[in-house]
Amino acid sequence: MAVTEDQANSVFLGLLRVQKLLVAAKHSAPRLEDGVDVTAYPVLFVVAGAGTVRISELATTLHNDASTVSRQVSSLVSTGHLEKSADPSDGRAWVVSLTEHGSNAVARIQASRAAWFQGLLADWDGPVTTEFVTRLGELGDALDANLRARGAPTPPMPFDTTRDQKQKED
């Protein structure tokens, strides 16, 4: 059965509301890492997933300009979360990777985020959550296919280190 225009608009407006609320929540989130702004957390997660990554690739993945990401990287280097080194394939460029302190920070941030979402979803049961995750994935796949069909490049996705870790364990 096809989705009606009203249903489609309701889905869009619901997603827009959630997006706005997530942005608001991000700006009022507790600071888990001293000296690290929550806006730099995505840098940590991308580096965690990539292992070693160029600053320009970080900027592309995060849909941000290189100067902003460079400032975030410099801050994370100064707090001991990242280490910076010359790119072995091009000595003029820099790559960054997590330090042990950075890896521990990512684990703490992920645990805190999971606990927060567990609280938000406390009234959901397992099957409802599984169905939601499945449907959310299907929506993502449909958006991705639509972008590709229109010839638009799909945006690079920040890495899901939890998924990557589970794949390594399997």
Side-chain angles (χ1 to χ4, degrees), residues 13 67 84 88 116:
L13 291 173
S67 63
K84 199 179 197 184
W116 181 57

Side-chain angles (χ1 to χ4, degrees), residues 7-157:
Q7 290 170 322
N9 279 322
S10 292
V11 168
F12 176 80
L13 291 173
L15 288 171
L16 185 61
R17 177 176 181 251
V18 168
Q19 177 192 22
K20 299 283 185 189
L21 290 168
L22 284 171
V23 168
K26 179 173 121 178
H27 292 295
S28 65
R31 302 292 186 245
L32 298 176
E33 289 297 309
D34 289 336
V36 179
D37 191 283
V38 294
T39 60
Y41 286 4
V43 172
L44 290 173
F45 284 104
V46 171
V47 175
T52 301
V53 63
R54 280 184 173 199
I55 294 172
S56 60
E57 292 169 355
L58 267 173
T60 298
T61 300
L62 296 170
H63 309 286
N64 227 327
D65 61 271
S67 63
T68 298
V69 173
S70 183
R71 280 191 301 276
Q72 290 172 324
V73 165
S74 293
S75 176
L76 291 166
V77 168
S78 71
T79 58
H81 291 84
L82 295 180
E83 60 187 3
K84 199 179 197 184
S85 57
D87 185 340
S89 64
D90 179 358
R92 299 168 296 168
W94 292 94
V95 294
V96 292
S97 55
L98 286 178
T99 61
E100 183 176 344
H101 180 59
S103 293
N104 292 336
V106 167
R108 283 189 299 275
I109 294 165
Q110 285 178 317
S112 175
R113 180 182 60 198
W116 181 57
F117 266 91
Q118 284 177 307
L120 290 174
L121 305 175
D123 293 337
W124 294 29
D125 63 17
V128 168
T129 306
T130 300
E131 177 71 13
F132 178 75
V133 170
T134 299
R135 296 294 183 199
L136 197 56
E138 290 170 355
L139 178 60
D141 292 345
L143 285 167
D144 183 54
N146 182 267
L147 283 171
R148 290 175 192 271
R150 293 185 300 163
T154 56
M157 294 293 128

